[in-house]
Amino acid sequence: MKVTVEEGCIACGACESFCPDVFKVEDVAVADNSKVAGNEDAVKEAAEGCPVSVIVVEE
Ligand code: SF4
């Protein structure tokens, strides 16, 4: 599984709350794909919870 944060992040912090292993929010959110393994469900929840739908998950 691969996760990408597209342009448009408003740095709300929700994804980092859902899955702090993978997402870090500075100016915008960044995703560390090396940490996705074992965190798949939390990554999907983060993607679904993003208010501007910029987190893209590829199976
Ligand atoms: S949940 Fe979406 S808008 Fe909020 S910080 Fe994460 S990527 Fe950005």
Side-chain angles (χ1 to χ4, degrees):
M1 200 169 104
K2 182 177 174 227
V3 59
T4 310
V5 180
E6 297 190 326
E7 284 186 29
C9 169
I10 57 171
C12 72
C15 55
E16 189 170 356
S17 297
F18 278 113
C19 189
D21 287 346
V22 172
F23 297 98
K24 294 280 178 272
V25 181
E26 294 173 6
D27 291 341
V28 294
V30 291
D32 180 354
N33 275 280
S34 73
K35 304 277 176 60
V36 169
N39 285 307
E40 286 90 347
D41 287 349
V43 168
K44 286 179 193 168
E45 284 178 26
E48 286 164 13
C50 175
V52 288
S53 302
V54 294
I55 300 174
V56 177
V57 175
E58 296 169 79
E59 299 289 341

